[in-house]
Amino acid sequence: MTRNRLLLGFTLSVMGTGLFTGCERSPDKAPEAKPAAPAPVAEQAPAPKPTALDAAAVAKLASHFFQAPRNQAPLPDDTAEQVALGRMLFHEPRLSKNHDVSCNSCHGLDTFGVDNKALSEGHKKQKGSRNSPTVYNAAHYIAQFWDGRAATLEAQAEGPMMNPVEMAMPDAKRVEATLSSIPEYSTRFRTAFPKGGKPVTLANAARALAAFERTLTTPSRFDRFLAGEHVALSAQEQRGLEAFVTTGCTTCHNGPAVGGSSFQKLGLVEAYPALTDAGRFDATKNEDDRGYFRVPTLRNVEMTGPYLHDGSVKDLPTMVRLMGRYQLGRTLKDGEVDDLVAFLKSLTGELPPTERISAPPLPPSTKRTPKPDPS
């Protein structure tokens, strides 16, 4: 299956200005010697507004968003059967101990891959310590989770199933026993993974989930702008883009996902107040990684609040001001914040069609299927 790309999955041409004509009207009767009066200028269609930036400036700004993260694991070739299975598993609550939590519970595909809560609820309504990041465009991250402890989407997919606060499955055997007890899943696993021995495994379930998640991309007006359609962004949005680059935001938020390509210290210029989360240190135990987090994507950021690893910031303008102060050492003016927020909103993309992200019909349990366990 052709790999999904955020910026290369569609072809766009530069928009031209085109020609416009005024509406024609039948003139009133007049002596034949008099020509018909021309249509009033006011009835002619207005010419398109000029862009705020010239082509050279646009190309320079756009260059920050094409480079993929270094050391990113290569994307495998996913099959249609793996993607279809992964979609089912993404919505499958029986992958949780009490059959009441699915991947979609915290990463709602119809709400831009999040649940818009500071901290999500898992098994027995327990809450974790970190905000659930969006699953959209996650294939372009250098690593998964806020601390980067999973190098790939496959490794990430296994984690929540076994996490006692999230889906709380006791072990891989319970996952495999649940899926094997359902005939349709056994058939679909054999079709999706025809090579090798036992097809129904935790590893293959994670592989299918990752294959599905690699299809979750959200092309936006910003992509059209990068592809040459410079009128896709308004003058204010282009000012915001220019400010985004010149103030240094692209130091962290760059590449196809506008983030996700590096680990950065929260409070780089000025210590971030009340920061207790050790960040990447939890994964590496390297003291130099304390307070570092994988940079989040800014795609769909308008729709994926609240913000930061702990979901402590509720609105986007406040988040922009905080990043200006603690990451860049700048007190941003109101006009700069307005322009930056306008640009960030241009990153809100189009969700995949409903038939691709809605919950599909799931096969029924059997007598062999482990029962829900609320303990």
Side-chain angles (χ1 to χ4, degrees):
M1 178 178 176
T2 303
R3 297 176 183 174
N4 295 284
R5 300 296 181 195
L6 290 177
L7 301 175
L8 301 179
F10 51 89
T11 302
L12 290 169
S13 60
V14 180
M15 294 182 65
T17 57
L19 297 175
F20 297 85
T21 58
C23 297
E24 294 183 357
R25 297 193 306 176
S26 297
D28 296 333
K29 288 185 178 181
E32 295 183 1
K34 289 185 178 181
V41 174
E43 295 186 10
Q44 295 179 357
K49 294 180 180 180
T51 57
L53 302 170
D54 60 33
V58 168
K60 185 175 181 180
L61 295 174
S63 66
H64 294 274
F65 305 101
F66 289 114
Q67 186 66 41
R70 295 181 179 180
N71 303 320
Q72 183 186 30
L75 302 181
D77 293 322
D78 301 321
T79 66
E81 292 78 11
Q82 290 166 353
V83 171
L85 174 59
R87 178 189 170 201
M88 296 176 71
L89 298 179
F90 193 89
H91 292 276
E92 180 54 81
R94 287 168 294 188
L95 291 179
S96 66
K97 185 178 182 181
N98 197 37
H99 297 191
D100 57 355
V101 180
S102 70
C103 300
N104 195 68
S105 298
C106 301
H107 303 283
L109 296 184
D110 59 349
T111 53
F112 289 88
V114 299
D115 59 7
N116 297 119
K117 298 177 181 179
L119 301 174
S120 301
E121 296 179 347
H123 183 62
K124 297 193 295 186
K125 303 298 181 182
Q126 298 176 93
K127 293 183 179 180
S129 60
R130 290 175 179 159
N131 177 260
S132 296
T134 178
V135 292
Y136 280 106
N137 309 299
H140 294 271
Y141 298 166
I142 191 173
Q144 306 297 319
F145 295 114
W146 282 99
D147 57 15
R149 63 185 181 273
T152 64
L153 281 174
E154 283 81 355
Q156 184 278 328
E158 291 190 19
M161 284 186 267
M162 249 45 76
N163 188 311
V165 175
E166 297 182 45
M167 300 173 83
M169 281 298 220
D171 49 40
K173 289 183 179 179
R174 176 67 67 85
V175 174
E176 293 167 1
T178 299
L179 294 171
S180 297
S181 72
I182 301 172
E184 183 175 340
Y185 277 134
S186 295
T187 300
R188 285 181 175 272
F189 269 88
R190 284 195 300 271
T191 303
F193 302 101
K195 298 179 180 179
K198 180 182 176 183
V200 182
T201 64
L202 175 63
N204 281 345
R207 175 75 175 80
L209 281 164
F212 172 64
E213 290 178 15
R214 276 187 279 273
T215 71
L216 301 178
T217 59
T218 55
S220 67
R221 287 189 294 115
F222 182 56
D223 295 294
R224 287 159 46 199
F225 177 84
L226 294 179
E229 188 184 330
H230 300 157
V231 294
L233 298 190
S234 69
Q236 183 184 29
E237 291 166 342
Q238 290 188 37
R239 288 198 310 269
L241 168 59
E242 189 171 27
F244 189 82
V245 172
T246 57
T247 59
C249 302
T250 49
T251 301
C252 302
H253 294 283
N254 52 52
V258 197
S261 60
S262 65
F263 297 94
Q264 297 291 341
K265 181 178 178 62
L266 180 59
L268 181 63
V269 176
E270 179 181 344
Y272 198 84
L275 178 62
T276 58
D277 193 320
R280 185 152 173 74
F281 171 82
D282 289 342
T284 67
K285 306 307 178 185
N286 183 342
E287 194 61 38
D288 291 340
D289 289 331
R290 187 176 292 277
Y292 278 72
F293 297 87
R294 192 212 64 220
V295 177
T297 178
L298 293 185
R299 286 183 176 270
N300 306 310
V301 68
E302 172 191 11
M303 310 300 293
T304 56
Y307 307 107
L308 284 184
H309 61 283
D310 56 359
S312 59
V313 180
K314 294 182 179 181
D315 66 277
L316 192 52
T318 297
M319 191 70 256
V320 169
R321 293 180 190 278
L322 289 172
M323 290 295 96
R325 175 178 176 179
Y326 293 103
Q327 300 306 112
L328 301 173
R330 291 194 52 175
T331 301
L332 297 171
K333 298 178 181 179
D334 290 347
E336 291 177 304
V337 173
D338 290 344
D339 289 349
L340 285 165
V341 169
F343 163 64
L344 292 175
K345 289 182 177 180
S346 77
L347 300 176
T348 301
E350 300 175 9
L351 293 178
T354 301
E355 59 268 22
R356 284 177 48 198
I357 62 174
S358 61
L362 299 178
S365 297
T366 67
K367 293 181 179 180
R368 295 189 298 112
T369 304
K371 302 300 181 183
D373 183 356
S375 65

